[in-house]
Amino acid sequence: MRYLITLLCTCVLMSTCHVVLVVGLGRVPIQAEYWLAEVIALKRHLAQNISLPKTVIIGGSSAFFGVSAEALARSTGTPVLNQGLHAGMSLESLLVHARAVIRTGDLVVMALEPKFYTDDRTRTPWMIRNAIAWNPDSGLDGCASDRVAFAFTVAPHLLLEMGMAKLGEWRRDPAVLKRIRARSAAQETAQPLNGPPVKSFSYSPTNVNSHGDIMNTQGTPKRYVGKPADTSLPVALSAHARSTLSTFIKEMNERGARLVFVHSPYMFITPPDPHQVGKSDEEFQHQVVGLGQFIDRRNDLLFPKECFFDTQYHLNHAGRAQRTELLAHSLRAYLAR
Amino acid sequence: MLFNSYAFLFCFLPAVLISYYLLGRFRPGSTVFLLGLASLVFYAWWDIAYIPLLLISISCNFVLGTAICRSHSSGQLRTGLTWLAVCFNVGLLGYYKYAGFVVDNLLLCGWASQTLEVVLPIGISFFTFTQIAYIIDCHAGEVREYSARNYLLFVTYFPHLIAGPILHHKEMMPQFARADACRLDPRNLAVGASIFVFGLFKKVGIADHMATYATPVFDFAHETGAVGTIDAWFGALAYTLQLYFDFSGYSDMAIGLSLLFNVRLPLNFNSPYKAVSIIDFWKRWHMTLSRFLRDYVYIPMGGSRCSATRRYANLLLTMLIGGIWHGAGWTFICWGALHGLYLVINHAWRGMLNRCGINDSGMAIEWAYSILTFLCVVVGWVVFRATTLSSAETILWAMIGGGTTTGGQVIVGSPMHAALTIIIGLTIVRFFPNVIDLFTAQNPTCHPAHLCDVQSAWARRFAWKPTWKYAACCGLLLYWCIFMIGARGHSEFLYFQF
């Protein structure tokens, strides 16, 4: 029995140390996507300087890359902000940042990727990493039980990385200090992020225009990792997504903002059966009845691989022009009703 | 419920274990019932709708088995009942596992008008094969009558129910009937817990990590019909390791869990990638399935006591059945046929060497055989894993240099990191002792110890001992696994789908 007791005690002891360390270390500058934190801050800043009422495009990176708010503003004659962020974020987190930029009278266009509709509160390693690094919208800032629950989602090797980053912070390691600077810049929402405009593509706030659009997405880079999702598959709205969206929509109504849904673009290599895609679209729209209205069809948003940039979510410059035109058309039709 | 889920680790297992020993102390006769009930709860966790099917299958087989055992006087009745029972089992498996596949193919030929959607009950292949063996042994007069309670536990026993090992009644029933089965044995608890932790680590720490390299390659090949040479090799080797660590991890967990209840399961893996021939591979990989196929398919067909041509045909057919058992799909059929062909070639080669009096022993030849066997197995796994035959062809073609690009594009993360991980994995499976080797002295399985490899110096050096150092290492591994499950979520075992 002594053997079993030793085994279990070691495990319990290690687990306790793990939880205490994660909770104790708190936010640590580990390697993460700090550019996103900076982009969020930049978009918040842009929203403050844009005239009202405006159109706000909400979504993940599919909206960030796939809509030109600048062209849409020209086309519709209203100010437009591209609030597209990252598809790796949770729906809750995405909407927290959306709330910060929406004002009375705004038109909110929900251009969410399918994964947001199926969100079931699962924390992905990507979310956990960014939560530790910079995202304040995580369990790490909650009550004690939230923090302990969060600690259980931190892998042991990530805890090691946290320790190394903390050590780097104390030793003033340049790489770690750079991350801390990025995080601090992101926290200064009132300040525009200064930097020379870039001529080539990079995931950086300096590669974002005054409408919140990402720039320099011409062509298709060499290291393309896109694998198309099956466009004919129906999307199942999760209970969590339904309740999160309901709360958000209610808030927007109270705030006096109108809200519509649009599809995100889908990639295809061989053209899918339009009947099947339409059927899946119809099935999905049945599920969102009561939440809001879709003003376009999934069938209109099927794009060939050539229209995509570096992943299946990111349209390139040419694809974005087409998608923006389609969106402008749908919005005009909606506003004319 | 998955062995690698918090619900199992923190609720189900402790609750069942404590109840088992408490009940064993006061009402030893009820422990079989408790384990049977716990196994049904374990099975119902996925979907309670599967329970009636499982119970119908068990009841019918038990009633028919008992009737076969009692029909000593009438040979015809005995044979008739046996055929009825076998047809019932094959029919059940056929409907739930293969009807959809058959209808899909008929649909392609224009002979059917619509698809047939049948939900596959989890573990059906395992509990059906277990019971077919029981029925055939009833017919052969090798079964003495068992109690319904013990039979229920024999089929549903939760450590093996979902993904094996495929149990044999002769190995299990005497253990369930043992009076001292519910007596607390600290050594069995210690050995069982340690083997379970090693198995959990194989699954959570290695197999799930390998999946991050293998899955994107196979998905990409399926979606795009093109993959680079390097990616194809990464994907194929990563899947080879993933499948081994996943399935052998599950088997280790099953052996460890069962030992916590003082029941020894049969050995299911014995370092298969150390095999020096395909014949040797099938003596080491999924050993309980190989045993079933040998005893209940190959030997009844005539086995090797017939002409060479007939023997090869028997081998091919047996492996084809083994392939079909794994799943309803052309990839599984081709994989089975491919291994049948490998075995035929292997036997023919051996026969030729014997006839010519050529001695093929020696280290260099053994290495060459070992590498060739491994490559054949990897090719087989590509066919086995691929979504369609055409994506298998894409990957195999890329592996021999026919890829569209040089690759390195699909692998998640750095290719150097992936290469290093795969090399470490290959080193472990090729040179390290397996988990059961480390515990050989403790007799953790019901297999005779001599079936395991002769213990290497490494295995002897690192052999399990009930020391605090070993306990602390296992505790560390358990901690690591618990937090990896929390971070990544629990993933299903590959053999659940079979």
Side-chain angles (χ1 to χ4, degrees):
Chain A
M1 268 328 219
R2 203 177 293 163
Y3 180 91
L4 258 190
I5 292 167
T6 313
L7 190 156
L8 292 175
C9 284
T10 310
C11 180
V12 170
L13 189 72
M14 288 302 295
S15 304
T16 311
C17 291
H18 182 107
V19 172
V20 168
L21 278 171
V22 171
V23 173
L25 285 172
R27 188 140 288 115
V28 180
I30 55 169
Q31 213 170 34
E33 300 209 46
Y34 291 93
W35 69 271
L36 184 61
E38 293 175 291
V39 165
I40 290 170
L42 172 67
K43 291 196 175 188
R44 206 170 281 192
H45 169 77
L46 293 175
Q48 285 169 354
N49 298 314
I50 213 162
S51 56
L52 298 173
K54 64 183 181 296
T55 301
V56 186
I57 317 291
I58 308 287
S61 55
S62 154
F64 193 17
F65 280 71
V67 177
S68 165
E70 192 176 14
L72 197 62
R74 270 201 310 271
S75 174
T76 57
T78 52
V80 182
L81 173 71
N82 186 334
Q83 178 63 22
L85 297 175
H86 198 294
M89 298 169 84
S90 68
L91 179 61
E92 271 170 332
S93 185
L94 188 84
L95 297 183
V96 162
H97 298 299
R99 279 183 185 97
V101 298
I102 297 166
R103 303 279 176 272
T104 306
D106 284 353
L107 171 63
V108 181
V109 179
M110 303 289 280
L112 305 177
E113 285 91 338
K115 69 144 291 242
F116 287 114
Y117 295 110
T118 56
D119 189 321
D120 59 357
R121 305 192 78 159
T122 307
R123 284 198 183 102
T124 62
W126 185 92
M127 288 178 197
I128 295 158
R129 179 171 284 280
N130 285 291
I132 293 168
W134 59 265
N135 194 358
D137 178 33
S138 70
L140 204 50
D141 300 293
C143 59
S145 64
D146 279 354
R147 287 178 191 211
V148 172
F150 182 84
F152 270 85
T153 63
V154 176
H157 58 84
L158 191 56
L159 177 63
L160 199 68
E161 206 182 318
M162 286 170 74
M164 296 302 284
K166 201 72 192 168
L167 206 66
E169 198 178 338
W170 289 333
R171 290 167 54 190
R172 310 202 63 75
D173 184 330
V176 175
L177 290 180
K178 197 175 156 196
R179 292 175 203 158
I180 295 171
R181 273 198 300 276
R183 191 172 68 187
S184 311
Q187 282 160 354
E188 298 290 328
T189 52
Q191 291 291 318
L193 291 150
N194 295 318
V198 289
K199 295 272 181 242
S200 60
F201 177 80
S202 68
Y203 284 101
S204 154
T206 52
N207 191 33
V208 176
N209 70 13
S210 58
H211 288 79
D213 303 325
I214 195 135
M215 300 185 295
N216 300 308
T217 56
Q218 286 83 359
T220 301
K222 226 177 181 180
R223 195 177 155 79
Y224 181 85
V225 291
K227 174 178 79 74
D230 190 347
T231 48
S232 58
L233 285 180
V235 176
L237 183 70
S238 70
H240 171 67
R242 173 176 279 281
S243 85
T244 309
L245 284 170
S246 296
T247 313
F248 179 73
I249 291 163
K250 202 173 151 202
E251 263 184 70
M252 290 303 110
N253 289 339
E254 282 167 5
R255 209 180 269 193
R258 286 170 301 166
L259 188 142
V260 290
F261 284 87
V262 294
H263 288 96
S264 63
Y266 289 82
M267 181 208 273
F268 70 83
I269 288 173
T270 47
D273 173 13
H275 175 71
Q276 194 56 44
V277 175
K279 211 173 130 194
S280 298
D281 191 10
E282 225 168 80
E283 257 177 59
F284 176 61
Q285 298 216 16
H286 272 300
Q287 297 179 58
V288 292
V289 167
L291 282 180
Q293 181 196 356
F294 269 84
I295 59 167
D296 57 7
R297 300 176 321 142
R298 197 195 279 194
N299 255 320
D300 297 333
L301 289 160
L302 307 176
F303 291 86
K305 193 180 168 187
E306 296 73 49
C307 289
F308 284 80
F309 190 61
D310 55 349
T311 80
Q312 61 150 323
Y313 297 112
H314 301 167
L315 283 170
N316 60 18
H317 190 74
R320 178 164 73 175
Q322 281 181 48
R323 197 263 177 277
T324 306
E325 205 168 301
L326 283 166
L327 181 59
H329 176 77
S330 304
L331 278 176
R332 275 197 300 267
Y334 168 74
L335 292 170
R337 268 181 240 163
Chain B
M1 203 181 302
L2 296 160
F3 292 166
N4 55 337
S5 66
Y6 283 171
F8 180 85
L9 292 170
F10 297 134
C11 302
F12 182 86
L13 182 60
V16 175
L17 206 56
I18 291 167
S19 316
Y20 180 76
Y21 285 112
L22 279 179
L23 202 65
R25 191 165 178 160
F26 302 110
R27 293 194 62 182
S30 310
T31 48
V32 169
F33 177 74
L34 173 86
L35 276 185
L37 190 70
S39 301
L40 289 177
V41 171
F42 176 82
Y43 192 71
W45 194 263
W46 275 283
D47 195 341
I48 200 156
Y50 295 152
I51 288 287
L53 178 77
L54 177 68
L55 291 178
I56 288 168
S57 168
I58 291 170
S59 314
C60 290
N61 278 292
F62 182 70
V63 169
L64 286 168
T66 310
I68 294 165
C69 288
R70 287 180 187 174
S71 59
H72 295 295
S73 50
S74 168
Q76 259 185 334
L77 179 66
R78 200 179 173 85
T79 310
L81 285 172
T82 306
W83 273 107
L84 179 69
V86 171
C87 289
F88 166 75
N89 283 305
V90 173
L92 205 68
L93 193 61
Y95 175 72
Y96 281 99
K97 196 159 177 176
Y98 305 106
F101 170 67
V102 172
V103 172
D104 282 351
N105 282 282
L106 291 176
L107 198 68
L108 280 176
C109 302
W111 297 335
S113 54
Q114 58 181 43
T115 55
L116 179 67
E117 297 285 337
V118 183
V119 178
L120 179 72
I122 202 156
I124 190 168
S125 308
F126 289 94
F127 67 70
T128 306
F129 266 33
T130 301
Q131 295 188 97
I132 289 176
Y134 170 76
I135 291 292
I136 292 172
D137 284 353
C138 283
H139 177 259
E142 290 175 18
V143 174
R144 63 173 191 81
E145 283 184 44
Y146 301 121
S147 76
R149 210 171 45 175
N150 284 12
Y151 183 77
L152 173 82
L153 180 60
F154 160 61
V155 180
T156 62
Y157 188 43
F158 75 86
H160 93 104
L161 178 60
I162 307 301
I166 298 170
L167 301 185
H168 198 276
H169 57 94
K170 276 186 199 161
E171 290 167 342
M172 304 313 295
M173 292 300 205
Q175 296 195 65
F176 294 143
R178 245 180 37 222
D180 62 344
C182 49
R183 211 174 51 203
L184 194 73
D185 182 341
R187 182 164 283 258
N188 276 353
L189 280 178
V191 175
S194 305
I195 295 179
F196 178 80
V197 170
F198 277 114
L200 187 64
F201 179 75
K202 276 163 104 172
K203 164 68 181 158
V204 177
I206 310 179
D208 287 353
H209 188 60
M210 290 297 170
T212 60
Y213 298 124
T215 309
V217 174
F218 283 89
D219 284 352
F220 193 80
H222 176 57
E223 298 289 347
T224 63
V227 67
T229 302
I230 295 170
D231 288 330
W233 272 104
F234 274 147
L237 290 173
Y239 183 69
T240 301
L241 293 170
Q242 182 199 351
L243 187 62
Y244 169 69
F245 283 113
D246 191 285
F247 195 20
S248 74
Y250 181 90
S251 295
D252 290 345
M253 277 189 260
I255 289 168
L257 279 174
S258 190
L259 205 56
L260 295 177
F261 298 95
N262 295 322
V263 175
R264 286 174 164 79
L265 294 186
L267 186 66
N268 215 17
F269 284 88
N270 186 18
S271 303
Y273 296 146
K274 289 178 187 167
V276 289
S277 67
I278 290 291
I279 299 170
D280 188 22
F281 174 77
W282 279 105
K283 284 179 184 162
R284 293 162 173 267
W285 177 273
H286 204 171
M287 293 155 75
T288 54
L289 176 68
S290 305
R291 179 179 67 178
F292 178 91
L293 292 173
R294 186 196 63 206
D295 294 348
Y296 298 98
V297 182
Y298 181 66
I299 291 176
M301 282 195 298
S304 52
R305 286 168 303 178
C306 45
S307 69
T309 320
R310 177 73 194 277
R311 184 158 63 115
Y312 294 155
N314 290 344
L315 266 176
L316 264 173
L317 196 61
T318 304
M319 292 314 292
L320 206 59
I321 290 170
I324 295 169
W325 175 85
H326 280 86
W330 288 109
T331 50
F332 295 116
I333 295 171
C334 287
W335 172 78
L338 188 66
H339 270 275
L341 194 68
Y342 286 163
L343 282 173
V344 167
I345 294 169
N346 200 166
H347 278 285
W349 175 256
R350 274 192 183 180
M352 197 192 76
L353 290 182
N354 282 341
R355 276 196 303 277
C356 302
I358 299 169
N359 180 12
D360 63 343
S361 58
M363 200 184 238
I365 292 177
E366 210 159 85
W367 264 97
Y369 279 169
S370 183
I371 290 168
L372 183 65
T373 303
F374 183 72
L375 289 176
C376 289
V377 169
V378 172
V379 168
W381 291 141
V382 170
V383 180
F384 185 85
R385 168 62 178 81
T387 320
T388 59
L389 284 179
S390 115
S391 52
E393 189 194 336
T394 303
I395 296 175
L396 291 174
W397 182 239
M399 282 166 74
I400 53 168
T404 45
T405 54
T406 50
Q409 294 171 307
V410 187
I411 284 291
V412 175
S414 141
M416 279 306 288
H417 188 251
L420 192 67
T421 310
I422 289 169
I423 289 168
I424 291 171
L426 291 174
T427 310
I428 291 171
V429 296
R430 187 64 190 82
F431 298 106
F432 282 47
N434 64 48
V435 171
I436 303 300
D437 277 347
L438 300 177
F439 290 86
T440 304
Q442 316 302 324
N443 287 325
T445 67
C446 57
H447 256 102
H450 66 80
L451 278 183
C452 291
D453 275 347
V454 177
Q455 275 204 319
S456 61
W458 277 56
R460 276 197 301 274
R461 184 166 176 194
F462 293 105
W464 182 86
K465 291 171 209 83
T467 59
W468 72 268
K469 283 181 194 164
Y470 231 113
C473 284
C474 288
L476 264 174
L477 282 184
L478 183 60
Y479 144 75
W480 197 88
C481 292
I482 286 171
F483 280 86
M484 283 309 288
I485 293 168
R488 281 204 203 135
H490 50 260
S491 61
E492 279 200 355
F493 291 87
L494 292 174
Y495 258 66
F496 277 22
Q497 56 190 295
F498 309 134

